[in-house]
Every structure is written in C-alpha cells, then in structure tokens.
Amino acid sequence: MEISWLEDFKALVECLNFSRAAEIRNVTQPAFSRRVRALENWIGTPLFDRDTHRLRLTPAGEKFRLVAEEVLRRLQQGRQEALDAGSAASSLRFISTHALSLSFFPHWLREIEPVLGSTTVRLMADNMQGCERRMLQGEAHFLLCHHHPAAAHRLNSQDYISIHLGDDMLVPISAPDDLGQPRHRLPGRPDEPTAYLAFSEESGMGRIITAARAHGGRPAWLKPVFASHLSHVLRMFAADGRGMTWSPYSLTRDDMAAGKLVRAGDESWDIPMQIRLFRPRTRQDAQAERFWSYLEDRQQKPQTDRLPHGTARRHALASERA
C-alpha cells in the first residue's frame, strides 16, 4: 500500500468525481482510477459505489475515510514535529478563517503572548473548507473559526474538541441611500427580490447563514448577484451599493459607525455565532499540550476576565441596537 493511494482516496472523497479528483492529483483519469482500484484491492472491498447516478462512499468507504484522514494527519504531524525537533525554536501552528485572522487573532495573540515565551507562532489563513482540509492533514495544531450549532463541519466530536473563545454576530448590511436608509432591504418581495451578495460554498459563513435560515429563519426573497468566500470582499461590494449581505459585526462595526454601511434589516435577522478553537483529541507535541492546558485553565475563569474583547463587542452591539 502506498501513501499516495490514501491521498488519492481523500481527493476523491472530497470531489466525488473522478475527473476533478485526477486533476487535483495531477494525474490522468485512467491512472487515477487504477490507483483507486489498487487501494480497494489492497483493502479487499469496494470503497465507492459506482452504480448510482452520483458517486458515493460504500459503508466500508465511510469507515475507511476516518482511518485514512487520521493516518495522513498523523504523518503530517509527525513530519512537522521532526522538523521542529531539528529547529532551535519550538512553534505553535494555527490555521484560521480569513475573517478571524484579521478581526480576532491579532488582539487574541496580544493576550496570550505572555505565556508563549520564545515560542514561534505560525498562522495560516484560508476559507473554511481549506481550513478543514489542512487541519485533517495535520498541518496545524489548532483551527480558529466561527461556529454555529446548526452548521455542519468536518471536525467531528469523536476526533476533535474545541474551546469557546468569544462571540460574534452576522448582521445584514447594505449601503445607505440619500436618506440614510438601506439601499437593499430585507426581506425583499417575490416580485422584486433583494440583490444579494452571497458567500460561496467553501465559506464557513455561507454554511452558517444557510443553516440558521433553515432552522427558523424568516422568509426572504433574495436574488444572488455576486458570490465570494471573503467577508471583506462582500462588505466592499455592499458599501459600493451592489446588494446586501450578512457580515461579521467584528469586521463591519467601524463602517457602520461611520455611516458607510447600515442595517439591511432589524436585529431579528442577526445570526449569533461563537468563536471557537479546535484541536485533535489525539495527543500533540508537548508545546501544543501545554498551551491547551493554559487555555483550559483560562476557561475556568469568569468570562469578563477571560475575554474582555468579547464582552466589549457584545456591549457595543447592544448599544448600537438601542
């Protein structure tokens, strides 16, 4: 069995399409198909059901997916730990969604720096889909992301745990008209839907909005006119008057205070989110484990002491609503 077969398997699980997966793996489709067959022959049972209209995993494939992800993650983790052992300085590796790498991580880093000592902090930023993939591959110790209980993600509770670091809110925004009212307003009408700047599929924000609206959200008539996985791009297009979008309050409050953006709907359209830090349940290197113990100790403190910036954010949002 070859490690490349596991990487082929993972690519096909993500795409569920032989042509796209072969392109990702930079091989021809016939060669890619032969390698997937070789893995199935080595295991002794089919991993994919090819008889249905849409390719899907067999029960055996679902079971093996967890094993393959863990093996690849541990290999990457072991490689990184070996590199760190050969280096003079230890490091903590974080992967974060783009939004939180800008709005939350710099402030949070200043809070935790006293306990880091000489440890080097490495931060990678990606969309949520990319963050999940990198975390599953073991490229980082920790994943920082927004979280909503109704929104699905790939870091299942069997293999990953998380800590609540703070709170945020998705608020509907639009450019103001000459009277200071939203140019694009919720909920729209069936005969005149509101222009909507949407999050694309790979975005965690898009998952949260879809899940929250599906679980008791008010009906809205929206016409998608643009999509991106980047919050700041959607916010820029909203300020340009191209439509309304939902945006993290942590990224939007300054523009709202300056009058560049206004609410596209009242607070009933807001979507509360948590800011959480995820890690694998399996033991990591000593530096990462010491840092996690420090966070768990902080978790026991009153929230006002533990997260003053999160409390200030909630107070600011409450003041704006008032």
Side-chain angles (χ1 to χ4, degrees):
M1 202 279 291
E2 300 178 13
I3 297 300
S4 61
W5 295 355
L6 297 181
E7 294 170 338
D8 294 339
F9 172 77
K10 183 173 67 69
L12 189 53
V13 168
E14 292 177 354
C15 296
L16 292 178
N17 181 286
F18 275 91
S19 297
R20 288 201 298 271
E23 184 178 353
I24 290 172
R25 296 290 293 141
N26 198 29
V27 297
T28 64
Q29 183 176 334
F32 181 82
S33 297
R34 286 195 297 271
R35 281 158 41 164
V36 173
R37 285 289 189 189
L39 176 62
E40 291 177 316
N41 291 337
W42 180 80
I43 293 174
T45 188
L47 301 176
F48 295 93
D49 185 350
R50 298 166 174 82
D51 296 330
T52 57
H53 176 68
R54 178 178 171 82
L55 186 70
R56 65 182 183 184
L57 285 166
T58 62
E62 290 284 1
K63 201 76 170 178
F64 185 70
R65 177 181 64 84
L66 301 175
V67 175
E69 288 176 347
E70 177 66 8
V71 168
L72 289 172
R73 190 189 68 78
R74 293 300 298 272
L75 283 171
Q76 177 65 26
Q77 179 183 329
R79 175 179 177 272
Q80 188 60 54
E81 288 177 2
L83 288 172
D84 289 344
S87 172
S90 59
S91 67
L92 287 176
R93 302 184 307 279
F94 295 85
I95 179 74
S96 171
T97 56
H98 290 291
L100 289 176
S101 72
L102 297 172
S103 67
F104 182 87
F105 191 85
H107 185 102
W108 183 63
L109 181 60
R110 284 196 296 271
E111 289 187 3
I112 63 176
E113 274 178 333
V115 303
L116 296 178
S118 61
T119 301
T120 301
V121 174
R122 304 182 188 277
L123 174 66
M124 300 172 284
D126 208 332
N127 57 61
M128 186 60 183
Q129 193 174 86
C131 286
E132 290 170 328
R133 181 176 64 253
R134 290 184 174 198
M135 195 66 178
L136 290 169
Q137 290 174 348
E139 295 183 25
H141 294 114
F142 307 106
L143 165 60
L144 179 67
C145 64
H146 284 103
H147 174 76
H148 188 282
H153 57 78
R154 296 180 61 190
L155 306 182
N156 64 78
S157 59
Q158 178 181 344
D159 299 316
Y160 292 86
I161 55 177
S162 66
I163 280 181
H164 176 205
L165 297 181
D167 299 282
D168 206 347
M169 188 83 69
L170 280 168
V171 296
I173 56 171
S174 166
D177 60 20
D178 293 339
L179 299 176
Q181 298 300 307
R183 191 177 300 180
H184 303 277
R185 184 190 299 270
L186 290 170
R189 299 198 309 264
D191 61 330
E192 191 176 346
T194 296
Y196 178 42
L197 308 170
F199 285 94
S200 51
E201 292 181 358
E202 62 267 34
S203 164
M205 299 290 186
R207 295 183 203 173
I208 289 173
I209 292 169
T210 299
R213 293 188 62 207
H215 288 73
R218 295 170 57 186
W221 293 269
L222 304 174
K223 178 184 178 182
V225 295
F226 180 78
S228 173
H229 67 272
L230 295 171
S231 297
H232 68 272
V233 170
L234 296 178
R235 190 177 77 253
M236 179 181 67
F237 273 56
D240 197 39
R242 301 190 183 204
M244 66 77 52
T245 189
W246 272 271
S247 182
Y249 181 71
S250 57
L251 285 178
T252 308
R253 57 183 169 186
D254 290 344
D255 285 341
M256 294 177 72
K260 297 178 182 178
L261 290 165
V262 295
R263 280 184 165 276
D266 62 29
E267 62 270 15
S268 66
W269 294 98
D270 292 354
I271 302 172
M273 306 180 293
Q274 292 183 344
I275 299 170
R276 300 194 74 90
L277 191 72
F278 285 82
R279 61 154 291 175
R281 283 188 180 274
T282 53
R283 185 169 181 81
Q284 305 198 86
D285 62 48
Q287 181 65 35
E289 291 299 332
R290 282 194 296 270
F291 178 69
W292 188 258
S293 296
Y294 161 74
L295 292 180
E296 288 183 322
D297 289 342
R298 284 185 87 202
Q299 193 81 356
Q300 307 305 316
K301 296 181 180 181
Q303 189 161 334
T304 51
D305 294 336
R306 181 168 52 89
L307 288 167
H309 55 285
T311 304
R313 181 179 297 121
R314 288 191 295 276
H315 288 338
L317 186 55
S319 299
E320 179 187 294
R321 287 176 178 172

